[in-house]
Amino acid sequence: MLTLTDDAIDVVKTLTEQAGEPAEAGLRISQQPREADGTEPSLALAPAEHPHPGDQVVEAGGARLFLDSPAAAALDEQTLDAAVDEAGRVSFAVAPQAG
């Protein structure tokens, strides 16, 4: 199952709060289809009031993520990290879980 760093927890909570979502809301990660040019599928992230049917729910430190089935499979045994640059832009990175 996907795990989150402390930085990712903070960013997910901040983004959810800024979107004006209710307390039980979170961010939903879904896998986008493969592009016609053969480009690998990508992951999309968006605020969500609640998980969709079949979503895997990941909760850590008050942050909630909802992963559709393809995203959950792609992110299994990974760790999500996040950073905010000086201009306020958020970036996410995924790395294999340690150990």
Side-chain angles (χ1 to χ4, degrees):
M1 179 180 286
L2 179 70
T3 60
L4 286 76
T5 65
D6 290 342
D7 289 340
I9 290 169
D10 292 342
V11 168
V12 168
K13 289 184 347 186
T14 299
L15 291 174
T16 303
E17 291 168 4
Q18 287 177 346
E21 300 291 348
E24 64 277 0
L27 294 182
R28 185 165 193 268
I29 301 176
S30 58
Q31 186 168 349
Q32 304 304 295
R34 182 181 296 269
E35 297 293 328
D37 66 2
T39 305
E40 288 298 314
S42 61
L43 296 174
L45 188 139
E49 288 187 17
H50 50 77
H52 292 197
D55 281 358
Q56 180 183 85
V57 178
V58 176
E59 297 184 72
R64 297 183 78 204
L65 291 175
F66 312 132
L67 287 70
D68 73 1
S69 294
L75 296 172
D76 190 39
E77 298 186 22
Q78 301 290 312
T79 297
L80 181 69
D81 193 16
V84 180
D85 69 14
E86 293 174 3
R89 291 183 297 257
V90 175
S91 62
F92 289 95
V94 178
Q97 291 176 2

